[in-house]
Amino acid sequence: RIKGRYMTRYAFYDKAMRDQMIEEQMIVRNMEYALHEGQFVINLQPVYEIPSKKIIGAEALVRWNYPKGPIPPSKFIPIFENNGFIVRLDRFVWEEACKVLRAQIDAGYNPLPISVNISRLNFYSQDLLEFLQSLIKKYDLQPKMLKLEITESAYMENPHQLIAMVRAFRGNGFSVLMDDFGSGFSSLSMLKDLPVDVLKIDMAFVQEVDKSSRAGAIMESIVELGKHLNMDVVVEGVETQEQLDFLSKIGCREIQGYYFAKPMDKEAFMGLVQRSQDI
Ligand code: C2E
Ligand code: MG
Ligand code: MG
Ligand code: MG
């Protein structure tokens, strides 16, 4: 009997799993409404150049201001990657990033480029490049102002499609960043085939440099590799002065991390850009 089957399966779940299922259902039930009601917003986390300590750009990161309390991306992004909603949410985030680029120009600033995350699911939509181009046109921007962050998972699923996409993006003036570099299984073979502009080294490496000389040696080698391949290297997740000192020592030039700035709302970011450009 069906009831009996459910009972047996039910016995496998402990309380934590049950809570997680309930939370997941809550997220799926609320996502459309939340997007419609403006509960999703972007934060911007500045990227700094060292040693000048100048702000040179930012990454757009989505936030869900759920009325009962914020829900972190680590909870909802995997769910939206499963049910496909990430395709729409990403596009919303890209448009919000374009608005911030437009606002910088309208305020008379020298606009700092913003990078956006592109879920691997978006690579299956035929109109991805067209959509990005329509945004650039709508907000009257240069494609180089919007940087596209991709991850290894997209490559592992469909290398040929991703290589073709990256070529098309770059051919049309967009920069492409490889996010979380070094965290996957095929980082080096991917690098061989994929002509990206920037490597963003996974947070795990910098957060270990104090504890492990191996992590440090790997970081140093990636920075060197970037130079040889004519790619910029960004290190994300920098939290301490010691980590910063190490990165300066090995010749790393671009940094994103709590040590300099946490992700902040649009208004705070605009203020920061303004102050950085005051003479
Ligand atoms: P990511 O793209 O690698 O973004 C960097 C994450 O590291 C962000 O977490 C950022 O807040 C965090 N971070 C930056 N500096 C530090 C630091 O010094 N220490 C620590 N502990 N963390 C730091 P966040 O915003 O929670 O996002 C997590 C992930 O969710 C992102 O990783 C990205 O994979 C995904 N994500 C966020 N926004 C979007 C989006 O709009 N679209 C898609 N597809 N994914 C997104
Ligand atoms: Mg990213
Ligand atoms: Mg990353
Ligand atoms: Mg990540």
Side-chain angles (χ1 to χ4, degrees):
R1 280 167 51 241
I2 285 174
K3 196 176 173 194
R5 241 180 42 214
Y6 277 120
M7 291 303 287
T8 337
R9 288 193 45 176
Y10 192 73
F12 284 105
Y13 296 105
D14 62 10
K15 181 165 183 325
M17 285 170 87
R18 212 159 57 231
D19 288 351
Q20 199 186 331
M21 260 176 53
I22 290 166
E23 188 178 68
E24 190 167 328
Q25 284 163 0
M26 184 282 286
I27 284 172
V28 173
R29 227 180 317 114
N30 285 285
M31 62 189 191
E32 296 275 353
Y33 179 77
L35 183 59
H36 185 258
E37 290 297 303
Q39 290 176 17
F40 289 107
V41 297
I42 63 165
N43 270 3
L44 294 137
Q45 185 178 28
V47 177
Y48 288 84
E49 182 187 67
I50 50 171
S52 71
K53 297 191 174 172
K54 271 206 181 117
I55 175 172
I56 53 167
E59 177 175 10
L61 296 158
V62 72
R63 294 291 177 262
W64 185 351
N65 294 328
Y66 188 62
K68 287 177 194 159
I71 306 173
S74 58
K75 285 215 169 124
F76 61 79
I77 299 273
I79 296 172
F80 295 165
E81 284 187 329
N82 265 326
N83 67 16
F85 189 65
I86 194 68
V87 173
R88 280 172 57 205
L89 186 61
D90 269 359
R91 290 176 185 218
F92 165 79
V93 168
W94 308 339
E95 178 148 15
E96 290 299 296
C98 287
K99 288 181 191 168
V100 175
L101 288 167
R102 175 45 42 204
Q104 292 183 64
I105 298 169
D106 289 345
Y109 310 154
N110 181 21
L112 302 179
I114 296 178
S115 66
V116 294
N117 292 285
I118 300 196
S119 162
R120 56 178 233 294
L121 279 195
N122 254 308
F123 287 99
Y124 296 115
S125 37
Q126 289 304 312
D127 69 331
L128 176 58
L129 177 61
E130 221 175 286
F131 182 83
L132 288 163
Q133 284 174 316
S134 71
L135 282 181
I136 294 299
K137 212 168 149 199
K138 180 173 173 188
Y139 294 94
D140 195 14
L141 305 168
Q142 303 292 322
K144 70 172 192 319
M145 294 175 189
L146 195 65
K147 299 189 169 190
L148 312 176
E149 297 200 0
I150 61 175
T151 58
E152 216 162 356
S153 53
Y155 177 80
M156 279 156 55
E157 263 174 24
N158 197 337
H160 295 293
Q161 172 144 357
L162 190 66
I163 292 166
M165 277 289 196
V166 168
R167 291 223 172 95
F169 289 148
R170 296 182 76 219
N172 284 280
F174 293 99
S175 304
V176 180
L177 282 76
M178 177 55 60
D179 200 0
D180 304 334
F181 181 74
S183 66
F185 296 106
S186 57
S187 307
L188 286 179
S189 58
M190 181 181 53
L191 199 57
K192 179 170 62 64
D193 301 327
L194 214 58
V196 298
D197 301 278
V198 183
L199 289 181
K200 231 177 180 184
I201 305 181
D202 192 64
M203 209 143 49
F205 290 100
V206 72
Q207 301 200 333
E208 290 230 335
V209 292
D210 329 322
K211 288 166 271 166
S212 144
S213 57
R214 297 179 75 86
I218 291 171
M219 293 269 301
E220 189 165 3
S221 308
I222 299 176
V223 170
E224 196 63 24
L225 186 66
K227 283 182 192 149
H228 288 304
L229 293 175
N230 210 6
M231 293 180 305
D232 291 329
V233 175
V234 181
V235 178
E236 68 181 336
V238 180
E239 292 182 348
T240 68
Q241 177 71 47
E242 290 70 39
Q243 292 165 353
L244 178 63
D245 291 344
F246 174 78
L247 294 170
S248 311
K249 197 183 77 191
I250 65 170
C252 171
R253 284 195 47 245
E254 294 178 29
I255 279 177
Q256 179 182 344
Y258 294 172
Y259 182 75
F260 278 115
K262 288 194 170 178
M264 59 187 78
D265 65 27
K266 286 193 261 193
E267 291 72 28
F269 176 71
M270 289 294 287
L272 196 64
V273 177
Q274 182 187 24
R275 287 194 298 282
S276 77
Q277 296 186 5
D278 277 349
I279 310 155

